Amino acid sequence: MTTIAFTKGQGTGNDFVLFADPEGETDLTAAQVAAICDRHFGVGADGILRAVRSSNLEAGAAALAEDPDAEWFMDYRNADGSIAEMCGNGIRVFTRFLLENELATLSPGETLPIGTRSGVRDVQLATDGFSADLGRWKLDGGEPLVRAKELPVARPGLGINVGNPHVVVALATEEELEEADLAYAPLLDPVPENGANVEFMVAADPLVSDGVGHVRMRVHERGSGETLSCGTGAVATALAARYWAGEGAPNQWRVDVAGGRVGVRMFPTQEGEHVSLSGPAELVFSGVLEV
Ligand SMILES: N[C@@H](CCC[C@H](N)C(=O)O)C(=O)O
């Protein structure tokens, strides 16, 4: 039996079990992760965030090579125990956890580099909580057909990788968005090799106001099912909305999800365009687990 002192946290309703494992001694099995995330028999969460010192994890070596200041590595696991490269809401909650536990400091204007499986991601304080630079993004995975239960026809999606894989589908009306039954994984054709998170979005009316784009989305996450929010999914959705809107579309977006609102911003850097995500991050309660 291993005893874990954990904290439950959430960002726009995307909820996580977090624990500090500085030495990298508590690598949970997929079955243990799934048991902890179970909403009836466990703590209940969309995923687990383990805080490991980058120097004590194999995957952390790449993070330290990229940025020697990336002391902490966010080891993210989906609710079914699978490993994902990145979690946009998670990295904000992870930062809140490091700060509250005095494992890191972050002042206004400063940057906290966090190691992830999709590279080092820089987090800053923001007016709505925290913002994380998710780095480069790419169109990836073509335009698979997507069919969600209760939606009568398959729609073309747009594959976008923001560190992890997404397929975004535009729906015509709010009613369609409500009707989609995302308790079931949407069917994708062709099936992406590594699976994908699937976002369904509708444009707000107006789509753009004061130079800021506005969309609403629901998500079925790879490895976690329907969640109240997906940060990387919101980023992929804003990128898809801008792509579909064409020339002159804004580089700043508000994305409404069932659990609240996040902000997305695209901005130029020397290595090409980056995209950042901002939003709230809260710690809810702490406890002790035996696994
Ligand atoms: N909820 C996350 C994404 C978590 C990983 C995802 N389910 C995957 O498998 O890629 C977010 O906020 O980005």
Side-chain angles (χ1 to χ4, degrees):
M1 276 279 180
T2 308
T3 302
I4 297 175
F6 74 93
T7 297
K8 179 83 186 283
Q10 60 87 17
T12 52
N14 202 188
D15 61 345
F16 309 99
V17 167
L18 301 102
F19 68 99
D21 180 22
E23 308 306 320
E25 292 162 332
T26 311
D27 191 9
L28 299 173
T29 64
Q32 286 171 323
V33 171
I36 294 168
C37 291
D38 189 291
R39 295 196 182 277
H40 301 286
F41 296 99
V43 179
D46 295 326
I48 289 191
L49 301 165
R50 178 171 68 128
V52 190
R53 282 220 161 77
S54 299
S55 53
N56 293 327
L57 198 69
E58 215 178 300
L64 287 173
E66 189 182 334
D67 183 344
D69 290 334
E71 180 185 356
W72 291 99
F73 191 92
M74 179 177 82
D75 180 28
Y76 174 81
R77 306 284 288 272
N78 283 318
D80 67 356
S82 58
I83 290 175
E85 306 86 332
M86 182 53 197
C87 181
N89 288 324
I91 200 164
R92 300 193 314 274
V93 181
F94 186 83
T95 302
R96 173 79 73 201
F97 175 78
L98 292 182
L99 299 184
E100 303 251 325
N101 286 284
E102 299 181 356
L103 297 170
T105 57
L106 183 60
S107 302
E110 278 183 4
T111 287
L112 181 67
I114 307 277
T116 77
R117 289 192 172 80
S118 67
V120 175
R121 300 290 172 247
D122 289 338
V123 182
Q124 293 187 307
L125 297 172
T127 47
D128 54 350
F130 297 96
S131 84
D133 179 349
L134 301 193
R136 305 273 293 135
W137 62 275
K138 57 179 183 209
L139 290 177
D140 187 24
E143 300 188 352
L145 281 176
V146 184
R147 174 91 191 259
K149 198 162 181 280
E150 302 308 333
L151 290 182
V153 289
R155 320 282 163 124
L158 183 65
I160 298 188
N161 191 301
V162 295
N164 57 349
H166 295 264
V167 174
V168 184
V169 183
L171 299 178
T173 63
E174 290 278 340
E175 289 69 33
E176 274 193 332
L177 189 64
E178 293 305 326
E179 276 161 20
D181 186 350
L182 300 187
Y184 297 85
L187 301 176
L188 302 182
D189 180 17
V191 179
E193 198 183 331
N194 298 314
N197 303 284
V198 183
E199 288 82 29
F200 291 87
M201 59 148 276
V202 283
D205 183 16
L207 174 65
V208 181
S209 120
D210 294 331
V212 180
H214 189 187
V215 291
R216 189 168 158 236
M217 73 154 217
R218 288 178 63 202
V219 59
H220 186 283
E221 285 194 40
R222 177 181 68 165
S224 299
E226 182 171 20
T227 60
L228 295 185
S229 177
C230 175
T232 49
V235 168
T237 299
L239 288 165
R242 184 183 67 164
Y243 176 85
W244 285 319
E247 210 168 303
N251 289 324
Q252 201 173 331
W253 291 78
R254 277 191 291 267
V255 182
D256 288 341
V257 291
R261 173 175 287 178
V262 293
V264 177
R265 194 168 67 86
M266 301 85 169
F267 57 98
T269 74
Q270 278 181 347
E271 59 170 17
E273 188 179 70
H274 278 205
V275 62
S276 72
L277 168 74
S278 70
E282 305 296 338
L283 302 183
V284 185
F285 65 88
S286 294
V288 176
L289 266 169
E290 294 216 323
V291 293

PDB file of all heavy atoms in Angstrom, residues 134-163:
ATOM      1  N   LEU A 134       1.219  27.797 -24.986  1.00  0.00           N
ATOM      2  CA  LEU A 134       1.223  26.397 -25.428  1.00  0.00           C
ATOM      3  C   LEU A 134       2.125  26.175 -26.635  1.00  0.00           C
ATOM      4  O   LEU A 134       2.151  25.085 -27.210  1.00  0.00           O
ATOM      5  CB  LEU A 134      -0.200  25.922 -25.729  1.00  0.00           C
ATOM      6  CG  LEU A 134      -1.200  25.994 -24.561  1.00  0.00           C
ATOM      7  CD1 LEU A 134      -2.452  25.200 -24.892  1.00  0.00           C
ATOM      8  CD2 LEU A 134      -0.612  25.490 -23.256  1.00  0.00           C
ATOM      9  N   GLY A 135       2.820  27.226 -27.054  1.00  0.00           N
ATOM     10  CA  GLY A 135       3.829  27.058 -28.095  1.00  0.00           C
ATOM     11  C   GLY A 135       3.244  26.975 -29.492  1.00  0.00           C
ATOM     12  O   GLY A 135       2.180  27.521 -29.785  1.00  0.00           O
ATOM     13  N   ARG A 136       3.943  26.246 -30.352  1.00  0.00           N
ATOM     14  CA  ARG A 136       3.549  26.116 -31.753  1.00  0.00           C
ATOM     15  C   ARG A 136       2.370  25.159 -31.867  1.00  0.00           C
ATOM     16  O   ARG A 136       2.190  24.267 -31.055  1.00  0.00           O
ATOM     17  CB  ARG A 136       4.729  25.576 -32.570  1.00  0.00           C
ATOM     18  CG  ARG A 136       5.986  26.401 -32.435  1.00  0.00           C
ATOM     19  CD  ARG A 136       6.072  27.562 -33.404  1.00  0.00           C
ATOM     20  NE  ARG A 136       6.204  27.119 -34.769  1.00  0.00           N
ATOM     21  CZ  ARG A 136       5.517  27.631 -35.797  1.00  0.00           C
ATOM     22  NH1 ARG A 136       4.608  28.558 -35.591  1.00  0.00           N
ATOM     23  NH2 ARG A 136       5.724  27.190 -37.012  1.00  0.00           N
ATOM     24  N   TRP A 137       1.584  25.331 -32.904  1.00  0.00           N
ATOM     25  CA  TRP A 137       0.447  24.446 -33.170  1.00  0.00           C
ATOM     26  C   TRP A 137       0.505  24.075 -34.639  1.00  0.00           C
ATOM     27  O   TRP A 137       1.193  24.729 -35.424  1.00  0.00           O
ATOM     28  CB  TRP A 137      -0.867  25.158 -32.845  1.00  0.00           C
ATOM     29  CG  TRP A 137      -1.079  26.369 -33.700  1.00  0.00           C
ATOM     30  CD1 TRP A 137      -0.586  27.627 -33.466  1.00  0.00           C
ATOM     31  CD2 TRP A 137      -1.769  26.422 -34.945  1.00  0.00           C
ATOM     32  NE1 TRP A 137      -0.947  28.465 -34.486  1.00  0.00           N
ATOM     33  CE2 TRP A 137      -1.679  27.754 -35.416  1.00  0.00           C
ATOM     34  CE3 TRP A 137      -2.471  25.489 -35.719  1.00  0.00           C
ATOM     35  CZ2 TRP A 137      -2.251  28.167 -36.614  1.00  0.00           C
ATOM     36  CZ3 TRP A 137      -3.044  25.901 -36.906  1.00  0.00           C
ATOM     37  CH2 TRP A 137      -2.937  27.232 -37.347  1.00  0.00           C
ATOM     38  N   LYS A 138      -0.216  23.032 -35.028  1.00  0.00           N
ATOM     39  CA  LYS A 138      -0.246  22.716 -36.463  1.00  0.00           C
ATOM     40  C   LYS A 138      -1.554  22.048 -36.862  1.00  0.00           C
ATOM     41  O   LYS A 138      -2.166  21.330 -36.051  1.00  0.00           O
ATOM     42  CB  LYS A 138       0.952  21.850 -36.862  1.00  0.00           C
ATOM     43  CG  LYS A 138       1.088  20.566 -36.111  1.00  0.00           C
ATOM     44  CD  LYS A 138       2.296  19.774 -36.597  1.00  0.00           C
ATOM     45  CE  LYS A 138       2.326  18.459 -35.844  1.00  0.00           C
ATOM     46  NZ  LYS A 138       3.516  17.819 -35.602  1.00  0.00           N
ATOM     47  N   LEU A 139      -1.950  22.306 -38.112  1.00  0.00           N
ATOM     48  CA  LEU A 139      -3.045  21.544 -38.695  1.00  0.00           C
ATOM     49  C   LEU A 139      -2.511  20.136 -38.859  1.00  0.00           C
ATOM     50  O   LEU A 139      -1.422  19.953 -39.413  1.00  0.00           O
ATOM     51  CB  LEU A 139      -3.446  22.118 -40.060  1.00  0.00           C
ATOM     52  CG  LEU A 139      -4.135  23.481 -40.035  1.00  0.00           C
ATOM     53  CD1 LEU A 139      -4.410  23.965 -41.454  1.00  0.00           C
ATOM     54  CD2 LEU A 139      -5.433  23.422 -39.237  1.00  0.00           C
ATOM     55  N   ASP A 140      -3.232  19.148 -38.395  1.00  0.00           N
ATOM     56  CA  ASP A 140      -2.682  17.790 -38.375  1.00  0.00           C
ATOM     57  C   ASP A 140      -3.833  16.798 -38.298  1.00  0.00           C
ATOM     58  O   ASP A 140      -4.677  16.907 -37.420  1.00  0.00           O
ATOM     59  CB  ASP A 140      -1.787  17.653 -37.127  1.00  0.00           C
ATOM     60  CG  ASP A 140      -1.030  16.351 -37.101  1.00  0.00           C
ATOM     61  OD1 ASP A 140      -0.815  15.781 -38.183  1.00  0.00           O
ATOM     62  OD2 ASP A 140      -0.667  15.905 -35.997  1.00  0.00           O
ATOM     63  N   GLY A 141      -3.860  15.874 -39.205  1.00  0.00           N
ATOM     64  CA  GLY A 141      -4.910  14.853 -39.137  1.00  0.00           C
ATOM     65  C   GLY A 141      -6.006  15.060 -40.161  1.00  0.00           C
ATOM     66  O   GLY A 141      -7.004  14.339 -40.153  1.00  0.00           O
ATOM     67  N   GLY A 142      -5.833  16.027 -41.056  1.00  0.00           N
ATOM     68  CA  GLY A 142      -6.775  16.198 -42.155  1.00  0.00           C
ATOM     69  C   GLY A 142      -8.157  16.626 -41.705  1.00  0.00           C
ATOM     70  O   GLY A 142      -8.304  17.366 -40.734  1.00  0.00           O
ATOM     71  N   GLU A 143      -9.160  16.151 -42.451  1.00  0.00           N
ATOM     72  CA  GLU A 143     -10.541  16.557 -42.164  1.00  0.00           C
ATOM     73  C   GLU A 143     -11.410  15.314 -42.019  1.00  0.00           C
ATOM     74  O   GLU A 143     -12.263  15.024 -42.879  1.00  0.00           O
ATOM     75  CB  GLU A 143     -11.053  17.474 -43.273  1.00  0.00           C
ATOM     76  CG  GLU A 143     -10.217  18.729 -43.405  1.00  0.00           C
ATOM     77  CD  GLU A 143     -10.812  19.753 -44.355  1.00  0.00           C
ATOM     78  OE1 GLU A 143     -11.800  19.445 -45.041  1.00  0.00           O
ATOM     79  OE2 GLU A 143     -10.262  20.866 -44.403  1.00  0.00           O
ATOM     80  N   PRO A 144     -11.224  14.543 -40.953  1.00  0.00           N
ATOM     81  CA  PRO A 144     -12.009  13.309 -40.801  1.00  0.00           C
ATOM     82  C   PRO A 144     -13.494  13.602 -40.649  1.00  0.00           C
ATOM     83  O   PRO A 144     -13.879  14.666 -40.165  1.00  0.00           O
ATOM     84  CB  PRO A 144     -11.454  12.695 -39.510  1.00  0.00           C
ATOM     85  CG  PRO A 144     -10.813  13.818 -38.782  1.00  0.00           C
ATOM     86  CD  PRO A 144     -10.356  14.803 -39.804  1.00  0.00           C
ATOM     87  N   LEU A 145     -14.317  12.645 -41.071  1.00  0.00           N
ATOM     88  CA  LEU A 145     -15.751  12.776 -40.841  1.00  0.00           C
ATOM     89  C   LEU A 145     -16.042  12.414 -39.393  1.00  0.00           C
ATOM     90  O   LEU A 145     -15.490  11.449 -38.860  1.00  0.00           O
ATOM     91  CB  LEU A 145     -16.519  11.842 -41.770  1.00  0.00           C
ATOM     92  CG  LEU A 145     -16.672  12.330 -43.213  1.00  0.00           C
ATOM     93  CD1 LEU A 145     -17.354  11.268 -44.054  1.00  0.00           C
ATOM     94  CD2 LEU A 145     -17.432  13.648 -43.274  1.00  0.00           C
ATOM     95  N   VAL A 146     -16.909  13.181 -38.766  1.00  0.00           N
ATOM     96  CA  VAL A 146     -17.202  12.975 -37.344  1.00  0.00           C
ATOM     97  C   VAL A 146     -18.696  12.779 -37.169  1.00  0.00           C
ATOM     98  O   VAL A 146     -19.501  13.547 -37.698  1.00  0.00           O
ATOM     99  CB  VAL A 146     -16.771  14.212 -36.511  1.00  0.00           C
ATOM    100  CG1 VAL A 146     -17.001  13.947 -35.029  1.00  0.00           C
ATOM    101  CG2 VAL A 146     -15.314  14.554 -36.777  1.00  0.00           C
ATOM    102  N   ARG A 147     -19.040  11.752 -36.416  1.00  0.00           N
ATOM    103  CA  ARG A 147     -20.459  11.489 -36.179  1.00  0.00           C
ATOM    104  C   ARG A 147     -20.673  11.325 -34.676  1.00  0.00           C
ATOM    105  O   ARG A 147     -20.118  10.430 -34.045  1.00  0.00           O
ATOM    106  CB  ARG A 147     -20.839  10.186 -36.913  1.00  0.00           C
ATOM    107  CG  ARG A 147     -22.239   9.693 -36.665  1.00  0.00           C
ATOM    108  CD  ARG A 147     -23.174  10.266 -37.714  1.00  0.00           C
ATOM    109  NE  ARG A 147     -24.555  10.015 -37.362  1.00  0.00           N
ATOM    110  CZ  ARG A 147     -25.292   9.063 -37.892  1.00  0.00           C
ATOM    111  NH1 ARG A 147     -24.776   8.253 -38.788  1.00  0.00           N
ATOM    112  NH2 ARG A 147     -26.548   8.923 -37.511  1.00  0.00           N
ATOM    113  N   ALA A 148     -21.470  12.245 -34.102  1.00  0.00           N
ATOM    114  CA  ALA A 148     -21.791  12.124 -32.672  1.00  0.00           C
ATOM    115  C   ALA A 148     -23.186  11.542 -32.555  1.00  0.00           C
ATOM    116  O   ALA A 148     -24.058  11.827 -33.387  1.00  0.00           O
ATOM    117  CB  ALA A 148     -21.745  13.483 -31.993  1.00  0.00           C
ATOM    118  N   LYS A 149     -23.398  10.733 -31.513  1.00  0.00           N
ATOM    119  CA  LYS A 149     -24.715  10.146 -31.283  1.00  0.00           C
ATOM    120  C   LYS A 149     -25.743  11.274 -31.138  1.00  0.00           C
ATOM    121  O   LYS A 149     -25.446  12.310 -30.528  1.00  0.00           O
ATOM    122  CB  LYS A 149     -24.665   9.302 -30.010  1.00  0.00           C
ATOM    123  CG  LYS A 149     -25.797   8.332 -29.893  1.00  0.00           C
ATOM    124  CD  LYS A 149     -25.462   7.253 -28.869  1.00  0.00           C
ATOM    125  CE  LYS A 149     -26.585   6.253 -28.765  1.00  0.00           C
ATOM    126  NZ  LYS A 149     -27.696   6.690 -27.948  1.00  0.00           N
ATOM    127  N   GLU A 150     -26.900  11.087 -31.717  1.00  0.00           N
ATOM    128  CA  GLU A 150     -28.011  12.042 -31.717  1.00  0.00           C
ATOM    129  C   GLU A 150     -27.882  13.126 -32.782  1.00  0.00           C
ATOM    130  O   GLU A 150     -28.797  13.887 -33.007  1.00  0.00           O
ATOM    131  CB  GLU A 150     -28.236  12.730 -30.354  1.00  0.00           C
ATOM    132  CG  GLU A 150     -28.496  11.787 -29.200  1.00  0.00           C
ATOM    133  CD  GLU A 150     -29.620  10.786 -29.457  1.00  0.00           C
ATOM    134  OE1 GLU A 150     -30.530  11.080 -30.257  1.00  0.00           O
ATOM    135  OE2 GLU A 150     -29.575   9.688 -28.884  1.00  0.00           O
ATOM    136  N   LEU A 151     -26.725  13.229 -33.431  1.00  0.00           N
ATOM    137  CA  LEU A 151     -26.644  14.156 -34.561  1.00  0.00           C
ATOM    138  C   LEU A 151     -26.887  13.333 -35.820  1.00  0.00           C
ATOM    139  O   LEU A 151     -26.226  12.310 -36.024  1.00  0.00           O
ATOM    140  CB  LEU A 151     -25.281  14.842 -34.627  1.00  0.00           C
ATOM    141  CG  LEU A 151     -24.999  15.853 -33.514  1.00  0.00           C
ATOM    142  CD1 LEU A 151     -23.638  16.494 -33.708  1.00  0.00           C
ATOM    143  CD2 LEU A 151     -26.068  16.931 -33.451  1.00  0.00           C
ATOM    144  N   PRO A 152     -27.831  13.749 -36.667  1.00  0.00           N
ATOM    145  CA  PRO A 152     -28.263  12.901 -37.763  1.00  0.00           C
ATOM    146  C   PRO A 152     -27.216  12.638 -38.840  1.00  0.00           C
ATOM    147  O   PRO A 152     -27.209  11.575 -39.448  1.00  0.00           O
ATOM    148  CB  PRO A 152     -29.461  13.666 -38.358  1.00  0.00           C
ATOM    149  CG  PRO A 152     -29.338  15.061 -37.855  1.00  0.00           C
ATOM    150  CD  PRO A 152     -28.574  15.000 -36.580  1.00  0.00           C
ATOM    151  N   VAL A 153     -26.329  13.581 -39.084  1.00  0.00           N
ATOM    152  CA  VAL A 153     -25.356  13.352 -40.166  1.00  0.00           C
ATOM    153  C   VAL A 153     -23.933  13.537 -39.671  1.00  0.00           C
ATOM    154  O   VAL A 153     -23.686  14.256 -38.701  1.00  0.00           O
ATOM    155  CB  VAL A 153     -25.583  14.323 -41.362  1.00  0.00           C
ATOM    156  CG1 VAL A 153     -26.827  13.985 -42.127  1.00  0.00           C
ATOM    157  CG2 VAL A 153     -25.592  15.767 -40.890  1.00  0.00           C
ATOM    158  N   ALA A 154     -23.010  12.875 -40.385  1.00  0.00           N
ATOM    159  CA  ALA A 154     -21.593  13.049 -40.071  1.00  0.00           C
ATOM    160  C   ALA A 154     -21.137  14.401 -40.611  1.00  0.00           C
ATOM    161  O   ALA A 154     -21.627  14.858 -41.644  1.00  0.00           O
ATOM    162  CB  ALA A 154     -20.790  11.923 -40.700  1.00  0.00           C
ATOM    163  N   ARG A 155     -20.237  15.044 -39.886  1.00  0.00           N
ATOM    164  CA  ARG A 155     -19.734  16.370 -40.323  1.00  0.00           C
ATOM    165  C   ARG A 155     -18.227  16.270 -40.544  1.00  0.00           C
ATOM    166  O   ARG A 155     -17.545  15.542 -39.825  1.00  0.00           O
ATOM    167  CB  ARG A 155     -19.947  17.451 -39.255  1.00  0.00           C
ATOM    168  CG  ARG A 155     -21.218  17.405 -38.511  1.00  0.00           C
ATOM    169  CD  ARG A 155     -22.312  17.970 -39.354  1.00  0.00           C
ATOM    170  NE  ARG A 155     -23.585  17.553 -38.781  1.00  0.00           N
ATOM    171  CZ  ARG A 155     -24.535  18.388 -38.420  1.00  0.00           C
ATOM    172  NH1 ARG A 155     -24.372  19.671 -38.562  1.00  0.00           N
ATOM    173  NH2 ARG A 155     -25.660  17.930 -37.930  1.00  0.00           N
ATOM    174  N   PRO A 156     -17.705  17.121 -41.437  1.00  0.00           N
ATOM    175  CA  PRO A 156     -16.247  17.149 -41.585  1.00  0.00           C
ATOM    176  C   PRO A 156     -15.610  17.893 -40.414  1.00  0.00           C
ATOM    177  O   PRO A 156     -16.080  18.969 -40.029  1.00  0.00           O
ATOM    178  CB  PRO A 156     -16.037  17.909 -42.907  1.00  0.00           C
ATOM    179  CG  PRO A 156     -17.279  18.702 -43.097  1.00  0.00           C
ATOM    180  CD  PRO A 156     -18.399  18.002 -42.365  1.00  0.00           C
ATOM    181  N   GLY A 157     -14.600  17.301 -39.830  1.00  0.00           N
ATOM    182  CA  GLY A 157     -13.883  17.969 -38.745  1.00  0.00           C
ATOM    183  C   GLY A 157     -12.569  18.518 -39.260  1.00  0.00           C
ATOM    184  O   GLY A 157     -12.211  18.326 -40.437  1.00  0.00           O
ATOM    185  N   LEU A 158     -11.842  19.204 -38.389  1.00  0.00           N
ATOM    186  CA  LEU A 158     -10.526  19.732 -38.749  1.00  0.00           C
ATOM    187  C   LEU A 158      -9.531  19.251 -37.692  1.00  0.00           C
ATOM    188  O   LEU A 158      -9.720  19.522 -36.503  1.00  0.00           O
ATOM    189  CB  LEU A 158     -10.573  21.271 -38.786  1.00  0.00           C
ATOM    190  CG  LEU A 158      -9.293  21.973 -39.216  1.00  0.00           C
ATOM    191  CD1 LEU A 158      -8.952  21.658 -40.678  1.00  0.00           C
ATOM    192  CD2 LEU A 158      -9.424  23.495 -39.032  1.00  0.00           C
ATOM    193  N   GLY A 159      -8.503  18.530 -38.146  1.00  0.00           N
ATOM    194  CA  GLY A 159      -7.495  18.013 -37.218  1.00  0.00           C
ATOM    195  C   GLY A 159      -6.491  19.103 -36.855  1.00  0.00           C
ATOM    196  O   GLY A 159      -5.926  19.756 -37.737  1.00  0.00           O
ATOM    197  N   ILE A 160      -6.305  19.313 -35.566  1.00  0.00           N
ATOM    198  CA  ILE A 160      -5.348  20.335 -35.088  1.00  0.00           C
ATOM    199  C   ILE A 160      -4.569  19.750 -33.922  1.00  0.00           C
ATOM    200  O   ILE A 160      -5.151  19.154 -33.017  1.00  0.00           O
ATOM    201  CB  ILE A 160      -6.071  21.625 -34.623  1.00  0.00           C
ATOM    202  CG1 ILE A 160      -6.829  22.251 -35.788  1.00  0.00           C
ATOM    203  CG2 ILE A 160      -5.084  22.617 -34.006  1.00  0.00           C
ATOM    204  CD1 ILE A 160      -7.417  23.622 -35.501  1.00  0.00           C
ATOM    205  N   ASN A 161      -3.251  19.936 -33.963  1.00  0.00           N
ATOM    206  CA  ASN A 161      -2.426  19.472 -32.849  1.00  0.00           C
ATOM    207  C   ASN A 161      -1.882  20.684 -32.101  1.00  0.00           C
ATOM    208  O   ASN A 161      -1.268  21.561 -32.695  1.00  0.00           O
ATOM    209  CB  ASN A 161      -1.275  18.598 -33.379  1.00  0.00           C
ATOM    210  CG  ASN A 161      -0.575  17.881 -32.247  1.00  0.00           C
ATOM    211  OD1 ASN A 161      -0.046  18.516 -31.333  1.00  0.00           O
ATOM    212  ND2 ASN A 161      -0.569  16.568 -32.290  1.00  0.00           N
ATOM    213  N   VAL A 162      -2.172  20.729 -30.807  1.00  0.00           N
ATOM    214  CA  VAL A 162      -1.666  21.834 -29.978  1.00  0.00           C
ATOM    215  C   VAL A 162      -0.778  21.246 -28.872  1.00  0.00           C
ATOM    216  O   VAL A 162      -0.764  21.724 -27.746  1.00  0.00           O
ATOM    217  CB  VAL A 162      -2.817  22.674 -29.378  1.00  0.00           C
ATOM    218  CG1 VAL A 162      -3.606  23.376 -30.458  1.00  0.00           C
ATOM    219  CG2 VAL A 162      -3.758  21.828 -28.528  1.00  0.00           C
ATOM    220  N   GLY A 163      -0.080  20.194 -29.238  1.00  0.00           N
ATOM    221  CA  GLY A 163       0.699  19.427 -28.252  1.00  0.00           C
ATOM    222  C   GLY A 163       0.033  18.090 -28.040  1.00  0.00           C
ATOM    223  O   GLY A 163       0.677  17.093 -27.755  1.00  0.00           O
TER     224      GLY A 163
END
